[in-house]
Amino acid sequence: MPPGHVEVPGSNGPGASTGASGDQAPDPFTAKTPDGWTPKAGRRMLNHTFGRGSEVYLSQLGGTIRQSLDIWRFELSLEAMTDAEFEALPNMLFLGDDAVLMDLTGSFHGMNKVEIPDARLLIAARLDGATVTFCKLVGPKDEIAAHRDAFVQFCGSIRRTQ
């Protein structure tokens, strides 16, 4: 797990959802889950899967947005961003405010040993005080292309519950 990584127990089901079952702590976030996305049990917040292994999840890290984005670039064997690349990132709605959107393709080698040869990675990230809150979508390139709009809508619907 990367330094500063924060994971909170809980998962959300389809549709507008909050909280978790059993003795797990409720999720600190809620969102409208797109059709076809299946909740994934575990410790990540708002964690879903779909298709042939695509996964989307919300989480938080310490550090800066740029440091975090470069970590994900490294998962695709890409160099750190230049100042110009960082400044050129588009904005999108996430947690009710502006966030940056990074959209990359390549051969994905995740920290959890997941490998996707022809992958696409979408990351929405924003700084919340000293924490980077992000939503990460990764999977086969064609599958992610088909779910890009759903990802944008999902990120736009995410709200804090606590």
Side-chain angles (χ1 to χ4, degrees), residues 12-115:
N12 286 47
S17 55
T18 60
S21 61
D23 59 354
Q24 292 181 322
D27 285 336
F29 299 96
T30 187
K32 184 172 184 323
T33 305
D35 291 338
W37 290 15
T38 304
K40 182 177 179 181
R43 299 180 318 171
R44 289 190 170 133
M45 299 177 263
L46 298 178
N47 193 194
H48 296 82
T49 60
F50 60 88
R52 303 181 318 267
S54 293
E55 182 175 16
V56 61
Y57 66 90
L58 178 81
S59 196
Q60 297 176 304
L61 293 169
T64 68
I65 291 174
R66 187 163 173 177
Q67 289 168 336
S68 297
L69 294 175
D70 280 340
I71 288 170
W72 295 306
R73 288 178 62 88
F74 299 150
E75 290 182 325
L76 291 168
S77 300
L78 299 172
E79 298 291 322
M81 277 185 283
T82 65
D83 291 342
E85 287 171 323
F86 182 69
E87 292 299 321
L89 291 173
N91 286 343
M92 66 176 287
L93 184 63
F94 177 48
L95 282 169
D97 208 340
D98 278 341
V100 296
L101 172 64
M102 185 171 70
D103 185 345
L104 303 171
T105 58
S107 184
F108 179 78
H109 306 280
M111 290 181 228
N112 58 357
K113 308 278 189 244
V114 170
E115 295 200 14

Side-chain angles (χ1 to χ4, degrees), residues 120 141-150:
R120 185 167 177 188
K141 184 171 63 175
D142 59 334
E143 206 165 84
I144 299 306
H147 285 262
R148 185 187 186 285
D149 290 344

